[in-house]
Amino acid sequence: MPYNAATAAARLSIAPMMDWTDRHCRYFHRLISGRALLYTEMVTAPALVRGGAVHLLEFSQPEHPVAVQLGGSDPAELAEAARLCAERGYDEINLNVGCPSDRVQSGCFGAVLMERPALVADCVAAMIKAQPVEVTVKCRIGVDDQDPEAVLPDFLSRIRDAGVSRVAIHARKAWLQGLSPKENRDVPPLDYDLVHRMKAEFPDLHISLNGGLETLEAGLQHLQTLDGLMYGRAAYHQPWDVLSDADEKVFGASPSATTRADVVHAMLPYIEAHVDAGGKLAQVTRHMLGLFAGQPGARGWRRTLSEGAHKPEAGTALVLQALDAVHVAQAA
């Protein structure tokens, strides 16, 4: 398997999450971990190719290594979308075969594609041929009444033969009928053992485990067998708890940030630039609300930012005010 920055970073990654992992969130996460692989929200190929919405691909250089996730099911359109992503310097291009939402199903992409593995193989083959950046897949273990024991190995075999060497597996089925997207993140049972068996069956594939990982320690045991961990909501809601030790414990490197307060201060120039350019403070700070989760002062931090960040005059002074509330609580 050829070395690249994204493959090395995929030992721990932050999952693509709609409405959450935007560029502000990624910049914030990068300050806590310098090594983890960061993903964009899903961007649909039709939006890029037919809609010309290439602004959705904007990111800042400090985010590297950063991957873009595409949604779609037309090989030619995905190939063109992948080319647009490669031109903008992404380290990886990922195809979404896991999202269970209704709007994704209606476009015939996301988890519904688990039912059409041959089409997925055609899509990734076209994406690989169109540009030089590594193409990966994020999938479920199956959908609805499929038998994951039969479906998943066939699916992995097809995408591997099409040229994919790295895959992230959400270790739950997706129920396209009867469960909401939110319920699909919790209700179907996890099957970590199946993912481990897939690694044994496909030793040449780089396999990351996604789904239900709540602490860094809970994930580390899986790295004895698997190649990577992909964290979603836990990394968003408790970013320090998941990411602050990751550089050391997962990558064997020095920590990127010493304290939570260091991260706040490092965010200030970015926030100031965003606000000076006409952006709103809340667009950035909404991703920072969980920084002090579980710590004295966490409630004051969240309340100060939640109540004040939407005001027109809000800027870095409010962030420092929220940090002061933490310091006061911790000194009490």
Side-chain angles (χ1 to χ4, degrees):
M1 186 183 303
Y3 172 86
N4 64 48
T7 296
R11 192 158 174 81
L12 189 141
S13 59
I14 307 303
M17 292 178 282
M18 292 296 293
D19 301 320
W20 288 8
T21 51
D22 63 17
R23 59 187 304 184
H24 307 309
C25 178
R26 298 192 303 269
Y27 188 92
F28 168 59
H29 283 166
R30 177 58 70 222
L31 292 178
I32 306 175
S33 170
R35 299 300 185 99
L37 179 60
L38 306 179
Y39 280 83
T40 69
E41 303 170 87
M42 183 186 67
V43 181
T44 69
L48 297 176
V49 177
R50 289 182 243 163
V54 292
H55 67 278
L56 297 174
L57 299 178
E58 293 176 358
F59 69 96
S60 55
Q61 289 304 307
E63 294 173 38
H64 285 294
V66 59
V68 58
Q69 185 181 68
L70 293 177
S73 59
D74 179 86
E77 196 165 59
L78 280 165
E80 176 61 15
R83 188 186 63 77
L84 292 171
C85 295
E87 286 178 350
R88 281 151 182 82
Y90 280 97
D91 299 296
E92 172 195 329
I93 301 169
N94 179 267
L95 180 63
N96 183 329
V97 192
C99 181
S101 76
D102 292 340
R103 59 179 173 171
V104 170
Q105 290 182 54
S106 64
C108 192
F109 50 90
V112 69
L113 286 175
M114 293 295 298
E115 298 176 333
R116 304 180 68 181
L119 175 59
V120 175
D122 289 343
C123 288
V124 295
M127 294 164 70
I128 291 168
K129 184 177 180 180
Q131 49 76 47
V133 177
E134 183 178 14
V135 172
T136 68
V137 168
K138 184 174 187 291
C139 67
R140 293 279 184 140
I141 61 173
V143 298
D144 295 340
D145 293 322
Q146 287 183 328
D147 176 9
E149 297 281 356
V151 168
L152 188 57
D154 176 64
F155 179 85
L156 294 178
S157 178
R158 289 173 185 262
I159 63 171
R160 179 196 60 187
D161 292 348
V164 169
S165 60
R166 185 150 53 86
V167 59
I169 303 175
H170 186 152
R172 285 187 174 97
K173 270 189 177 185
W175 286 94
L176 305 179
Q177 307 295 328
L179 290 183
S180 69
K182 182 178 186 299
E183 290 169 329
N184 262 299
R185 294 192 292 266
D186 296 301
V187 175
L190 289 159
D191 192 346
Y192 290 157
D193 289 344
L194 176 60
V195 180
H196 282 269
R197 291 197 298 276
M198 291 303 97
K199 179 59 186 177
E201 189 168 338
F202 298 91
D204 53 328
L205 277 181
H206 183 293
I207 296 179
S208 290
L209 177 68
N210 175 232
L213 297 173
E214 296 184 352
T215 66
L216 182 62
E217 287 67 28
L220 292 177
Q221 59 181 327
H222 295 288
L223 288 180
Q224 297 176 22
T225 303
L226 301 176
D227 304 292
L229 306 169
M230 178 178 277
Y231 284 82
R233 287 167 292 164
Y236 188 89
H237 293 301
Q238 296 96 34
W240 183 265
D241 295 340
V242 173
L243 293 174
S244 64
D245 289 333
D247 288 2
E248 180 179 1
K249 293 184 178 180
V250 177
F251 297 98
S254 299
S256 292
T258 305
T259 68
R260 293 171 171 88
D262 290 340
V263 175
V264 175
H265 285 288
M267 282 296 296
L268 296 179
Y270 180 89
I271 291 171
E272 187 169 7
H274 177 69
V275 172
D276 287 348
K280 303 299 183 184
L281 177 63
Q283 293 170 322
V284 180
T285 57
R286 72 185 185 97
H287 302 299
M288 300 170 62
L289 297 179
L291 179 59
F292 292 94
Q295 299 296 302
R299 183 177 299 176
W301 165 261
R302 292 193 307 269
R303 183 175 63 247
T304 301
L305 292 179
S306 297
E307 293 177 356
H310 295 279
K311 297 178 180 178
E313 70 278 9
T316 55
L318 182 74
V319 180
L320 291 173
Q321 180 184 335
L323 184 58
D324 285 342
V326 174
H327 290 155
V328 169
Q330 293 182 346

